[in-house]
Amino acid sequence: MSHRIRPAVDTDLEAVREIVRAAYTHYIARIGREPGPMLDDYGALIAEGRVQIVEHDGIVQGLLVLVPQADAMLLDNIAVSPQAQGAGLGRMLLAHAEQAAVAA
């Protein structure tokens, strides 16, 4: 099975949080606090339909948070699990974000 992008659902919440932690924890020492993406309420973002995930064989490997604006689409966050980095998932998620922006 290849990678697929789909809207995140409630059962993806812990995987999303884990990927965000893995992607941003190393910045805490640099900036002296948790970066913004670590403070986001992913349960609410998932409920609002703003989180897309990329999965392979049922395993969440990355996420994308898009926030529609009046005349734009804000790419609020993109993160890929360290175990899946280098597989082109970031590019796949960016392409999906561009398609979503065009469609909006």
Side-chain angles (χ1 to χ4, degrees):
M1 177 183 222
S2 64
H3 291 94
R4 79 176 181 127
I5 298 175
R6 65 167 174 80
V9 295
D10 291 340
T11 55
D12 297 318
L13 180 58
E14 192 52 40
V16 166
R17 287 179 176 157
E18 285 296 321
I19 291 169
V20 169
R21 272 193 290 273
Y24 291 99
T25 295
H26 69 277
Y27 290 108
I28 295 172
R30 292 183 193 173
I31 64 175
R33 60 179 170 78
E34 289 183 336
M38 293 183 79
L39 304 174
D40 287 345
D41 182 346
Y42 289 95
L45 290 168
I46 288 170
E48 294 166 4
R50 296 187 176 172
V51 180
Q52 300 287 313
I53 57 125
V54 61
E55 67 179 359
H56 180 71
D57 291 337
I59 299 171
V60 178
Q61 296 186 324
L63 65 112
L64 170 69
V65 178
L66 296 174
V67 180
Q69 305 288 299
D71 60 350
M73 181 70 73
L74 172 66
L75 193 163
D76 189 55
N77 188 6
I78 187 168
V80 174
S81 170
Q83 297 84 357
Q85 290 177 1
L89 300 183
R91 277 191 306 275
M92 181 186 296
L93 289 165
L94 284 172
H96 182 80
E98 185 176 352
Q99 291 169 356
V102 170

